[in-house]
Amino acid sequence: MKVIEGRLPGVLIVEPQVHGDARGFFLETWSRTRYEAAGIRGDFCQDNLSFSRRGTLRGLHYQHPHAQDKLVYVLQGEIFDVAVDIRRGSPTFGQWEGVRLSAENHRQVFVPKGFAHGFCVVSETALVAYKCTDRYHPETEGSILWNDPEIGIDWPLVDVLLTEKDRNAPRLRDVPPERLSTVLTLAISS
């Protein structure tokens, strides 16, 4: 397994070892011992599965409190996956990192607590799986506008399919400070 450090602290891109032959392939999508040795220490308690068609954009979502680490990968299709640092006091606050994940490249991305997460489907359809270190708490969920010009994400698609909630999400600068975690609170709770 190869782990690549992202531009933003804590964001990790994982390239699992793929064992393939004429029959197909096998790979481990998660092994606590192996991933902890690579620096991914999460007590994952919930797995999610999302099926979407081309142009669907989900995000940018986060929870506070009840922040979640996420390990994201694609079972079918291809997505452009994005993490945005929304930790007040972080030197990379408001910066983003994007990576293409697909069933063909088998890459995974680890999105740490304190980051908003979203993805855009660039293939005809995509089946996306992700593990979370806390369960979904709808009362603590927050969203940030997917095309916030101050963040400046370079999405590969312009015409996207959004929920009403995501279409009307606030810009990062308009999110009340108490709705965002700080670098300090995350360090204490980890």
Side-chain angles (χ1 to χ4, degrees), residues 13 18 52 60 99 118 123 153 170 181:
I13 300 160
V18 180
S52 306
L60 301 161
V99 61
S123 55
I153 298 169
S181 59

Side-chain angles (χ1 to χ4, degrees), residues 59-80:
L60 301 161
H61 302 149
Y62 66 96
Q63 288 188 169
H64 179 72
H66 301 289
Q68 300 171 309
D69 293 320
K70 294 178 181 177
L71 182 66
V72 184
Y73 54 100
V74 173
L75 299 170
Q76 177 265 315
E78 182 176 354
I79 66 171
F80 181 70

